[in-house]
Amino acid sequence: MEKTLNRIHPVSDPEATYFLQVSWEKDLGTGFGLLLSDCQCAWTGTVSEEDISSEAADIEMDRGKYVEELRKALIAGEESAGRYNFVIS
């Protein structure tokens, strides 16, 4: 299993710091797990392969391109800094 951990500052609360851990088996396209923490609380979730396909279809984006955008937003870290915004609600 592969994992990444990134520090994020959501646009919804730019002074706050959160940590986002993403874990996956083969690649993000086969599904992944998420753990979000503000160092006081933690939230977890999973995204299935079916969820990814459904979301790509909903926004009419090629599935491969969608998975690549997920990779950039969730695990690329500094490579994509400033390109993606996070909103915590």
Side-chain angles (χ1 to χ4, degrees):
M1 175 176 282
E2 295 189 56
K3 292 182 182 181
T4 63
L5 180 65
N6 289 303
R7 182 184 345 230
I8 61 172
H9 301 280
V11 294
S12 54
D13 187 3
E15 298 300 315
T17 299
Y18 287 80
F19 295 90
L20 177 65
Q21 177 181 292
V22 181
S23 57
W24 65 98
E25 289 294 331
K26 297 176 185 173
D27 64 52
L28 288 182
T30 61
F32 53 91
L34 296 168
L35 183 140
L36 180 68
S37 176
D38 64 359
C39 295
Q40 293 180 8
C41 297
W43 303 268
T44 62
T46 57
V47 178
S48 70
E49 187 170 4
E50 295 77 25
D51 293 334
I52 294 166
S53 295
S54 176
E55 182 67 21
D58 286 350
I59 62 172
E60 299 178 353
M61 181 183 279
D62 173 75
R63 188 180 185 287
K65 174 72 173 158
Y66 184 72
V67 170
E68 179 60 19
E69 290 299 318
L70 283 173
R71 187 194 69 75
K72 289 177 186 175
L74 298 176
I75 66 174
E78 294 300 315
E79 171 186 325
S80 296
R83 276 192 71 192
Y84 298 92
N85 293 318
F86 295 89
V87 176
I88 308 295
S89 61

